[in-house]
Amino acid sequence: MKSIFRVVSFLEGISYLLLMSLGLYYKYALNDPSFVKMFGMPHGILFMLYIVLAFVIKKEMNWNNKTLGIVLLASILPFGTFYIDKKYLR
């Protein structure tokens, strides 16, 4: 389960960065919202999967509520999921 969470965490981080960089650039600089639509749905699915898997893996990893809160908070910060992978999942 840990390896699945690591893959989802990585993909969620990449999708978030693509959405915030390319998606927003094309939307506001070039008036083309197609990239936001293209990256938005996969990111939303990966985000929800990340949250659910964090709760599922909590017991396996022996995380307390503070650690779980940090893991959940990292999902809304740019590069946060990469930090979680390095600090808590390796």
Side-chain angles (χ1 to χ4, degrees), residues 1-7 53 56-58 60-61:
M1 188 59 90
K2 179 181 169 183
S3 60
I4 293 171
F5 184 69
R6 288 187 71 199
V7 169
L53 286 174
V56 169
I57 202 171
K58 176 187 176 193
E60 180 182 324
M61 299 296 293

Side-chain angles (χ1 to χ4, degrees), residues 10-58:
F10 177 77
L11 292 175
E12 196 273 336
I14 294 295
S15 71
Y16 187 52
L17 292 175
L18 286 173
L19 182 62
M20 291 298 138
S21 59
L22 290 177
L24 292 180
Y25 172 75
Y26 275 89
K27 181 176 181 175
Y28 292 111
L30 304 177
N31 293 324
D32 182 12
S34 63
F35 277 87
V36 172
K37 292 177 183 176
M38 183 172 61
F39 294 134
M41 180 61 79
H43 170 69
I45 292 169
L46 288 167
F47 176 76
M48 297 295 287
L49 195 56
Y50 178 91
I51 298 297
V52 169
L53 286 174
F55 279 103
V56 169
I57 202 171
K58 176 187 176 193

Side-chain angles (χ1 to χ4, degrees), residues 12-14 16-17 20-21 73-83:
E12 196 273 336
I14 294 295
Y16 187 52
L17 292 175
M20 291 298 138
S21 59
L73 179 66
S75 67
I76 60 172
L77 299 173
F79 301 101
T81 57
F82 304 118
Y83 170 77

